[in-house]
Amino acid sequence: MNLLDRGMSVLPAFRSLCEDIRTGRLPAEVTGLGHIHKAVFTAALAHTLSLKTVVLVADEAEANRLCQDLQALGLQARFLPARELSLRRVESASREFEQMRLGTLAKMAAGDYDCVVACADAASQYTLPPDLLRSRTLTLKEGVPLPVKDLSAALTVAGYERCDQIEGPGQFAVRGGIIDVYPADCPAPVRVELWGDAPDTIHFFDPLTQRRTDQLKEIAIPPAAEIWYDDPTGLAEQIERLAAGLRGKAAELQKQNLLADADRLRSGSLPASLDKYIPLIYEKPATLFDYARDALLLVSENAKVRERMRTARWQLEEDIKTLLEEGQLCRGLTDYMLDADGFFLELEAGRTVFLETFARSGGGTSLRSLYNVTARQLPVWSGSLELLTEDLEDMLHRGMSCIVLAGAEQKNAETLAEDLQKKEIPALYAPSPQAPVKGRVLVVCGGLSAGFEFPEAGLAVVTH
C-alpha cells in the first residue's frame, strides 16, 4: 500500500531507521509501537528498502493477526508454524503443520516471499537445509521430458503419500497418464497430463469438483517431508553403529528400539519415529535463520520472544529426559532445535530491529540505535457516521492527513465519501492515491485489524 508508505516516509524515526538499515547500523530498537504500528512499520520497511523480512512474535494469535494485516498492506506474508516432534513410537501422526512449514520454507528457498512471521520455537526447530530443499525440488514443464524416469516413485521418495483421490497437501494420485499432486507451497492441487515421458498440460484443479482451473507452463514440486533421506541402508548402518556403542542402565532397551528401526529401514519401511533421527540424517541441520540470511529480522517484544524460547527449550529437555529413561532416545539422539544461547546469538547478529510497545531496561542486547515513536492505536470504526464525523473533525483540526479504509467494496467507499461530504467533511474517494493530503480525508478500499495515528507524521488512519 504505497499510500501508507508515503505517509510513513515523513516520520523522522522511520527515515533514520531506514538509513541505519542501509548502512548496517544494527541492532536497533523502536519503542512506542502497538500491534498495528508494528505491521505498518514492517510493511513500510519492506516496501521502502525492497527487503524481505522475517518477524518473530511471542504467540500464534499475534502471528496470524500480523500476517493478515501485512497481507492487507500489500505484502506476500506467510506464517511458519512450529510442529510437534514425533520422538516416540507412534502408528500415525498429523502432518498438517509440517506441510504448512514446508510450503513456507519452499517459498523462502525460491525467494518467492515478502515476509515470514514465526514464533521462537518454530524458528529454532531443525529442518532440512535450503540447498537440499532446492536440489530435491522437481520442476515439470509443458512439453519437456520429465526430470526423472518414474515420477510416481520420485514423489514417494520425496515424502508424498499415494492415495486414490487427493484431499490435502503432501498427497498424490495416479490414473493412467494423469498424475495429481498437491505440493505444500501451492494454493491448490496440480494435475499433470502426460504425453509419453513429457507433461502435455499442467493445471490447478478443484479437489471437490475435480475440474481444472488455471493452466500452468511449469510447476516446481518441493519435498513433502522435512526429514529427508535417500539411503535407507546407510541410515540403518548409522543406527546400528550408534546402538553398538551404547552403555548404561537403559542401554538394552535403547538398543532394542534402535535395531528394530534399522530392520524396518532395511526392509523398505519407515522407522517408527523418523524425527528422532534428525541428528543422524542431517550433519548440519538448518533453521528458519538459514533460509533468511539476506532478510531483515524484526522482533516484536524481545523479552516475550526470549521467554517463549526458554520455555520451549525447557519443555523439549524435559521430554527428552523422559524418553531417555523409556529407551526411546539415547545419547547422540537429543539435539532437535537451537539452544537458547544459539537463538539469542541469531537475534544479536547485527541484522535485527526490535519493535517494542514500551521501553525496557536490561534487555540483554547491545543496541546501536534507539528510537521512540509517539503513536496511538484506534479502535475499529463501528459504522456510525456521526462518530466517524466527530473523529475526523478532531483529526483535521489537529492538521492531520486522514485516510479511511472503508472495506473491500468500492461502492461502499464511494458512498461513504459522499456521506462525509454532506457532513461538510473534505472527503474524497480515491481509488489509487499516491500520498496522503494534509487537511483532507481520503476514502479508499481496504481494511486492517485496527486504526492508528502517527502524530509526528501527521497521519491518521481509520479502518472499518
Side-chain angles (χ1 to χ4, degrees):
M1 188 179 291
N2 292 330
L3 176 63
L4 295 184
D5 298 340
R6 294 284 181 86
M8 291 295 294
S9 67
V10 302
L11 185 67
F14 180 81
R15 292 204 309 269
S16 297
L17 179 61
C18 286
E19 187 59 26
D20 289 340
I21 295 169
R22 290 189 185 99
T23 59
R25 187 176 169 79
L26 299 175
E29 181 174 292
V30 184
T31 63
L33 304 179
H35 166 84
I36 193 63
H37 309 115
K38 294 171 184 175
V40 174
F41 249 79
T42 299
L45 287 172
H47 288 145
T48 302
L49 300 174
S50 299
L51 282 176
K52 300 185 185 302
T53 60
V54 170
V55 186
L56 299 184
V57 298
D59 60 66
E60 286 83 358
E62 181 185 358
N64 284 312
R65 184 163 58 134
L66 183 59
C67 274
Q68 292 173 4
D69 281 330
L70 291 173
Q71 289 164 2
L73 290 165
L75 288 188
Q76 185 184 352
R78 300 182 66 97
F79 173 50
L80 182 80
R83 72 185 184 97
E84 185 176 350
L85 291 172
S86 177
L87 300 176
R88 62 173 70 245
R89 189 181 299 273
V90 292
E91 293 301 321
S92 63
S94 171
R95 299 185 62 200
E96 177 185 0
F97 289 143
E98 182 180 22
Q99 293 305 305
M100 290 177 65
R101 284 173 58 85
L102 281 163
T104 297
L105 294 173
K107 290 294 187 184
M108 294 184 76
D112 185 19
Y113 77 104
D114 294 324
C115 181
V116 169
V117 183
C119 296
D121 46 338
S124 301
Q125 286 182 329
Y126 287 154
T127 186
L128 73 170
D131 288 344
L132 180 60
L133 189 152
R134 282 188 286 264
S135 68
R136 299 299 185 178
T137 296
L138 296 172
T139 300
L140 310 184
K141 299 181 180 180
E142 281 189 359
V144 177
L146 295 171
V148 292
K149 289 185 178 180
D150 187 339
L151 182 57
S152 177
L155 290 172
T156 300
V157 171
Y160 286 86
E161 177 188 359
R162 184 165 181 170
C163 55
D164 293 331
Q165 185 170 309
I166 284 178
E167 296 179 353
Q171 298 179 335
F172 79 100
V174 179
R175 298 184 309 282
I178 299 176
I179 296 181
D180 295 342
V181 60
Y182 202 151
D185 62 336
C186 283
V190 174
R191 177 159 294 159
V192 181
E193 299 185 25
L194 298 177
W195 180 264
D197 65 347
D200 184 40
T201 61
I202 305 173
H203 288 84
F204 285 126
F205 72 93
D206 186 328
L208 296 178
T209 64
Q210 294 295 302
R211 292 182 177 177
R212 298 184 303 181
T213 55
D214 297 335
Q215 185 171 359
L216 305 168
K217 292 298 181 183
E218 65 178 77
I219 183 69
I221 305 174
E226 285 191 65
I227 314 307
W228 171 290
Y229 67 93
D230 54 8
D231 182 8
T233 301
L235 180 57
E237 291 173 353
Q238 285 182 277
I239 294 172
E240 289 164 349
R241 286 196 296 271
L242 182 62
L246 293 177
R247 302 289 184 272
K249 183 170 59 175
E252 280 306 312
L253 185 55
Q254 292 169 349
K255 288 180 181 179
Q256 180 180 333
N257 288 326
L258 289 173
L259 294 177
D261 282 344
D263 288 342
R264 290 172 68 108
L265 282 165
R266 291 187 182 279
S267 65
S269 301
L270 289 173
S273 170
L274 190 58
D275 284 347
K276 74 182 188 181
Y277 294 112
I278 292 174
L280 298 184
I281 293 172
Y282 298 136
E283 181 180 350
K284 189 178 179 182
T287 66
L288 171 65
F289 300 109
D290 294 286
Y291 284 80
R293 291 301 176 198
D294 296 327
L296 175 67
L297 180 62
L298 305 175
V299 180
S300 172
E301 303 303 323
N302 187 20
K304 292 181 180 180
V305 168
R306 286 171 179 258
E307 183 58 32
R308 179 169 180 123
M309 179 62 203
R310 293 188 186 97
T311 301
R313 183 68 196 188
W314 174 85
Q315 185 61 62
L316 177 62
E317 290 172 353
E318 290 299 304
D319 292 343
I320 287 173
K321 287 179 186 178
T322 301
L323 292 169
L324 287 170
E325 293 170 359
E326 295 176 356
Q328 298 287 339
L329 295 180
C330 64
R331 174 179 48 82
L333 298 179
T334 58
D335 192 15
Y336 303 102
M337 69 184 299
L338 288 176
D339 59 22
D341 288 341
F343 176 78
F344 298 154
L345 284 174
E346 291 288 355
L347 301 192
E348 298 160 12
R351 56 194 175 95
T352 308
V353 176
F354 298 97
L355 306 177
E356 303 286 336
T357 303
F358 303 106
R360 303 176 187 273
S361 61
T365 302
S366 178
L367 301 172
R368 299 187 67 185
S369 302
L370 174 62
Y371 303 100
N372 180 258
V373 174
T374 301
R376 291 179 57 207
Q377 184 161 308
L378 305 178
V380 173
W381 174 46
S382 63
S384 167
L385 185 61
E386 288 72 21
L387 290 177
L388 177 61
T389 301
E390 291 178 9
D391 290 341
L392 291 175
E393 285 175 342
D394 174 65
M395 294 170 184
L396 292 170
H397 178 71
R398 290 186 280 126
M400 307 287 278
S401 301
C402 300
I403 299 168
V404 177
L405 304 179
E409 297 295 329
Q410 176 181 331
K411 183 63 178 176
N412 292 343
E414 292 174 343
T415 301
L416 179 58
E418 293 172 359
D419 291 342
L420 289 172
Q421 289 168 6
K422 293 175 183 178
K423 294 285 188 178
E424 298 185 350
I425 298 293
L428 173 69
Y429 167 66
S432 54
Q434 295 301 307
V437 180
K438 186 175 182 179
R440 297 294 299 270
V441 176
L442 300 182
V443 182
V444 300
C445 295
L448 296 169
S449 65
F452 59 89
E453 281 188 11
F454 285 106
E456 292 171 287
L459 177 65
V461 173
V462 178
T463 184
H464 194 283

